Amino acid sequence: MDDGLKNIYLRDRNCPNCDIYESVLDLIPEPLVIVDREGYIVFFNQAYENYLGISKEEALGRYVPEVIDNTRLHIVSKSGKSELDCIQKIKNRDAIVQRIPIVSSDGENLGAIGKVNFQNKAELKSLMDRLRSLENELSQYKEQSLVQMRAAYTFDQIIGVSEQINHLKEVAEKYAATDLSVLILGETGVGKDLFAQAIHNASPRQHDPLVSINCAAIPHELLESELFGYEDGAFTGARKKGKPGKFELADGGTLFLDEIGDMPLSMQAKLLRVLQNRQIERIGGLSSRNIDVRIIASTNQDLDLKINRKEFRRDLLYRLNAATIKIPPLRERPEDIKIIVEKTLAKPEMQKSIDDQAISYLQSYRWPGNVRELINVVERLVYLSDGEVVSSAEVKHLLVDLFEDRGPGNGEDTEKSNEIDMTRNFADNKDLIELTSMSSGGESKRNLDDLVKEIEKKAIIQALENCKNNKAQAAKQLGIHRTTLYQKLTKHGLE
Ligand SMILES: Nc1ncnc2c1ncn2[C@@H]1O[C@H](COP(=O)(O)OP(=O)(O)OP(=O)(O)O)[C@@H](O)[C@H]1O
Ligand SMILES: [Mg+2]
């Protein structure tokens, strides 16, 4: 046996750490053998004992070809050349083995390690099967993420019978066939996302990705890297490999810039440049790349007001609104309420109906959260209602609860004073107005003051719109002095 190896691996050769080495090598679950330069076995682990049914004592010190079928370890120990992932017939089965030479730091061949990775092909096959199934899973996830990037909704799934919705669907379908940038406007929950998806799905880009980015949800400092991506190590903390931005991901398809009204001014300037040049540059990048992306943007904000306040660039608006779709709030199309409620109730998990009086109650509510809120309420009603039919009494009580929850400061949209608007809307419905005034403890007087304020604010906004923001003319139209108009603008936060 080789002296070098004897000293390292054999317990009976006074090596102080031999016990530890042996125990560690014994822990390896695969059969492992070590030979010296001449091919004599100096180590034989527990797994090899079990595999071949030969004890350590029987194997140690023997010439390896006498112990292991078809081995080449005695050759590798001399050649110093690895033989990896080889098939070796051991005990009449094809095993997959590794043969690794042990070479000293000065290049002298000391021996070789032999390891059986798979004792037969079945083991390998089972691993391959597992690998394949993992690969399948991975490709399914990839597929799913692509599906998520594609649009789920089509125009058929936008429910509505009102003239407004039908007209919008027709117009949007026409826009879909073009490559025009589309700006979708409307209050929260009216279906802006739905329209964006339906437009993409009906467009020639339908087989390419629809990538969305919510400009309000992403911290301003991250928006640029999300949109344009970054190169390797462009900034501290950036992923080493760099990352493509949404523009690149949407290449060939559509980029949906949701809540565009919340985009910071600095980004608006960069976005405008990209829309003009149709080229993007990753952060930290040295070159630009051409991109072919159709833009759909949406907002629930009043962009004209934002432009007046210098919070939104007019030139960007002109770039985005080649085509505009303004979705009216649900309260302006009460006929859609009935069909949306019925379709929601017809879903397999719901399976309930609703009486006509209940529908008329629902139609008299203001729905500040629009269709999203309506669907939410219908789901709550199904959960709360005992019978097969959602009754008008149940609807009435739920609406009164909503009314109470939305006291001043509790509404989603306090600026617009929903409570007041609800009173106005409920005025069509004697039952509800009675109930709400009872439950709100005679607070209707306070509501009247608010109502007056609300009407005043609306009248001012309307006059300014009519006069294209010329305050002198607006004051004249309102029949008040210009100074009074300025005071009122401050009072209503409209300056
Ligand atoms: N006409 C409609 N038919 C069917 N479902 C609708 C319709 N309009 C809206 N919805 C549903 O209402 C919910 C809100 O719609 P969506 O997310 O498109 O609103 P949004 O205008 O983008 O709102 P936000 O401004 O809050 O983002 C979704 O669940 C959507 O499926
Ligand atoms: Mg939305």
Side-chain angles (χ1 to χ4, degrees), residues 8-10 17-34 42-48 56 102 113-115:
I8 298 170
Y9 296 106
L10 292 180
N17 293 324
C18 276
D19 274 354
I20 302 175
Y21 293 150
E22 262 203 43
S23 317
V24 170
L25 293 172
D26 250 346
L27 286 176
I28 295 176
E30 289 93 17
L32 188 122
V33 61
I34 301 173
V42 294
F43 179 81
F44 196 77
N45 79 347
Q46 178 99 47
Y48 235 130
K56 248 183 216 156
I102 306 172
I113 301 174
K115 185 163 164 273

Side-chain angles (χ1 to χ4, degrees), residues 130-415:
R130 266 189 57 206
L131 242 165
R132 220 163 282 133
S133 104
L134 282 173
E135 266 173 2
N136 276 344
E137 236 173 272
L138 188 72
S139 65
Q140 267 175 26
Y141 282 127
K142 276 190 189 157
E143 185 71 16
Q144 267 176 19
S145 68
L146 252 180
V147 170
Q148 277 168 9
M149 279 166 83
R150 292 200 185 119
Y153 280 93
T154 59
F155 284 117
D156 293 343
Q157 287 156 288
I158 299 179
I159 308 168
V161 289
S162 62
E163 213 176 286
Q164 295 102 304
I165 279 292
N166 283 331
H167 173 67
L168 275 187
K169 277 165 61 170
E170 266 173 39
V171 171
E173 224 162 336
K174 282 189 187 138
Y175 291 156
T178 72
D179 238 0
L180 292 175
S181 299
V182 181
L183 178 65
I184 307 176
L185 301 170
E187 289 178 14
T188 181
V190 284
K192 297 186 293 296
D193 277 51
L194 240 63
F195 266 89
Q197 293 188 24
I199 291 173
H200 171 80
N201 255 348
S203 80
R205 295 169 181 260
Q206 59 186 247
H207 299 298
D208 293 299
L210 167 72
V211 176
S212 306
I213 181 163
N214 186 320
C215 305
I218 294 176
H220 289 181
E221 59 279 13
L222 293 184
L223 196 55
E224 185 175 3
S225 69
E226 281 295 312
L227 278 172
F228 306 124
Y230 52 82
E231 291 293 359
D232 295 10
F235 47 86
T236 342
R239 273 187 357 189
K240 269 207 187 108
K241 274 181 62 195
K243 190 182 140 186
K246 301 281 188 194
F247 266 101
E248 272 177 73
L249 294 173
D251 201 12
T254 307
L255 180 63
F256 177 38
L257 298 167
D258 201 3
E259 316 269 12
I260 187 91
D262 292 282
M263 183 176 272
L265 270 173
S266 58
M267 272 313 302
Q268 292 177 26
K270 286 184 184 138
L271 176 65
L272 183 66
R273 240 183 348 259
V274 171
L275 298 184
Q276 276 162 352
N277 304 336
R278 297 279 155 186
Q279 280 189 332
I280 55 139
E281 202 174 293
R282 285 188 181 186
I283 299 175
L286 296 173
S287 58
S288 328
R289 28 190 118 189
N290 293 332
I291 41 123
D292 165 29
V293 168
R294 197 251 180 105
I295 301 288
I296 302 181
S298 92
T299 183
N300 54 22
Q301 306 218 29
D302 180 341
L303 289 184
D304 287 326
L305 198 69
K306 291 210 95 173
I307 289 172
N308 284 341
R309 290 182 185 159
K310 308 239 175 313
E311 290 167 0
F312 201 85
R313 293 181 66 118
R314 190 180 294 279
D315 44 8
L316 179 59
L317 175 67
Y318 292 152
R319 274 273 155 191
L320 296 172
N321 71 354
T324 306
I325 290 176
K326 193 164 190 315
I327 310 174
L330 195 55
R331 63 185 165 276
E332 286 176 15
R333 43 186 171 110
E335 59 275 45
D336 286 344
I337 291 177
K338 185 169 193 285
I339 177 113
I340 291 171
V341 171
E342 284 170 353
K343 293 245 174 181
T344 308
L345 286 173
K347 285 185 188 162
E349 67 275 21
M350 310 257 177
Q351 297 289 330
K352 290 206 179 190
S353 54
I354 187 163
D355 69 38
D356 286 348
Q357 178 66 41
I359 292 279
S360 89
Y361 282 156
L362 290 171
Q363 285 175 331
S364 67
Y365 179 56
R366 186 174 170 79
W367 300 113
N370 292 291
V371 184
R372 181 184 289 115
E373 187 184 21
L374 174 64
I375 293 176
N376 213 302
V377 161
V378 174
E379 283 167 0
R380 267 170 75 182
L381 281 167
V382 168
Y383 176 70
L384 293 172
S385 111
D386 299 323
E388 304 255 295
V389 181
V390 177
S391 71
S392 54
E394 284 160 339
V395 170
K396 190 156 74 177
H397 284 113
L398 188 64
L399 287 181
V400 171
D401 280 353
L402 278 182
F403 176 86
E404 284 176 347
D405 288 349
R406 283 233 171 80
N410 288 341
E412 287 168 32
D413 196 3
T414 46
E415 246 185 74

Side-chain angles (χ1 to χ4, degrees), residues 452-453 456-457 459-461 464 478-495:
V452 171
K453 269 192 223 146
E456 187 182 78
K457 185 175 171 184
I460 292 171
I461 292 171
L464 284 168
L478 288 163
I480 55 175
H481 195 270
R482 219 171 58 197
T483 325
T484 318
L485 175 62
Y486 278 110
Q487 283 163 355
K488 288 186 186 296
L489 287 175
T490 313
K491 179 172 119 190
H492 294 294
L494 292 174
E495 50 313 20

